[in-house]
């Protein structure tokens, strides 16, 4: 059974019109939007901010495995930070998603309430930089959103690990708005044998699954430093950690960095 419910189909139609208008822009403008230049921090060149792609998926959704596979492929691109967020609302179909978090469901609903192109509460869905969304298995639509994403005005995020293993995260830049800073603990790879439901008998694979999230404070454009201890970076089941800088109320993601630890 396909899980793209009526509101999602309406949103997808609106999204198609939106993408047509966007793609009609001049190639020079599109190129400028797609380019994220390198930045400097205290004279040191740092990596460009990756575009964040969040996949809302479910083990109880028969339409989701192709999107899970696409997420794995996109995650190999260093210019992207792919995050899988399994949701809870299909648990009623006979199989309780073993990776789902209610926080993921709430975040998707908050995105949907903003009414952006491709929004809605459905699976599979990919949301790019906290903005527009697309059906998560439609690679062309997702890549179009990625090309249109802008990160050039985002903050510079630098991490440094001391001899004790503590990591200092430094965020600086120029901003006229507040943004929340979060630490995401991720599992780079998960394999689940589904026992019942629409995917019963299938072995499903997931990439960069959220295990926990922690609020580190707010960034207002001035210098911000946060120290992360070994305990902060030792979440059960996680082997990757990422910093996300996002405007309040599940707004635009303006900065991101996968920690090199």
């Amino acid at each position: 059974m396909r899980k793209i419910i009526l509101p999602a189909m309406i949103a997808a139609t609106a999204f198609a019109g939106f993408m047509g208008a966007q793609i009609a822009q001049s190639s020079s403008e599109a190129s400028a939007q797609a380019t994220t230049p390198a930045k400097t921090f205290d004279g040191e060149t740092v990596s460009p901010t990756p575009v964040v792609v969040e996949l809302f998926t479910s083990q109880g959704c028969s339409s989701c495995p192709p999107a899970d596979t696409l997420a794995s492929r996109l995650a190999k691109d260093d210019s992207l930070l792919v995050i899988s967020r399994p949701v809870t609302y299909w648990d009623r179909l006979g199989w309780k998603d073993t990776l789902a978090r209610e926080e993921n469901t709430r975040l998707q609903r908050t995105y949907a309430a903003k009414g952006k192109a491709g929004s809605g509460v459905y699976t599979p869905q990919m949301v790019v930089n906290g903005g527009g969304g697309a059906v998560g298995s439609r690679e062309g639509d997702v890549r179009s959103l990625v090309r249109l994403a802008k990160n050039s005005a985002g903050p510079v995020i630098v991490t440094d690990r001391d001899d004790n293993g503590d990591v200092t995260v430094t965020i600086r830049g120029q901003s006229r708005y507040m943004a929340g800073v979060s630490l995401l603990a991720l599992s780079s790879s998960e394999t689940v044998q589904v026992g019942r439901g629409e995917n019963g008998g299938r072995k499903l694979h997931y990439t960069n699954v959220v295990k926990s999230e922690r609020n580190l404070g707010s960034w207002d454009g001035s210098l911000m430093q946060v120290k992360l201890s070994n305990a902060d970076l030792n979440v059960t089941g996680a082997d990757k950690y990422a910093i996300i800088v996002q405007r309040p109320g599940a707004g635009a993601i303006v900065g991101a960095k996968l920690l090199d630890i």
Side-chain angles (χ1 to χ4, degrees), residues 138-219:
R138 296 180 181 172
E139 183 171 358
D141 291 347
V142 173
R143 289 192 179 276
S144 293
L145 285 171
V146 168
R147 285 193 296 269
L148 292 170
K150 295 184 191 178
N151 279 314
S152 58
V156 173
I157 306 173
V158 177
T159 57
D160 180 63
R161 190 162 200 163
D162 62 25
D163 294 338
N164 296 321
D166 295 335
V167 174
T168 298
V169 178
T170 302
I171 305 173
R172 69 180 304 174
Q174 294 182 343
S175 173
R176 290 175 291 182
Y177 52 78
M178 297 288 291
V181 180
S182 300
L183 173 68
L184 271 62
L186 308 172
S187 173
S188 59
S189 180
E190 295 275 353
T191 299
V192 177
Q193 182 71 48
V194 179
R196 298 183 304 279
E198 292 195 350
N199 289 313
R202 299 184 67 175
K203 184 178 290 186
L204 305 180
H205 304 278
Y206 298 92
T207 301
N208 293 345
V209 179
V210 177
K211 308 301 286 189
S212 74
E213 298 177 69
R214 176 189 164 196
N215 178 32
L216 300 179
S218 297
W219 176 71

Side-chain angles (χ1 to χ4, degrees), residues 1-6 9 60-64 66 90 93 122-124 135-138 198:
M1 181 181 71
R2 194 166 178 82
K3 290 298 180 300
I4 304 173
I5 57 179
L6 181 58
M9 295 178 68
C61 162
S62 61
S63 301
C64 286
W90 297 126
L93 296 181
Y122 62 94
T123 57
V135 175
S137 55
R138 296 180 181 172
E198 292 195 350

Side-chain angles (χ1 to χ4, degrees), residues 157 159 167 169 183 228 233 241-243 257-261:
I157 306 173
T159 57
V167 174
V169 178
L183 173 68
L228 304 175
L233 303 174
Y241 296 85
I243 297 294
K257 181 176 178 64
L258 188 64
L259 300 187
D260 183 17
I261 57 174

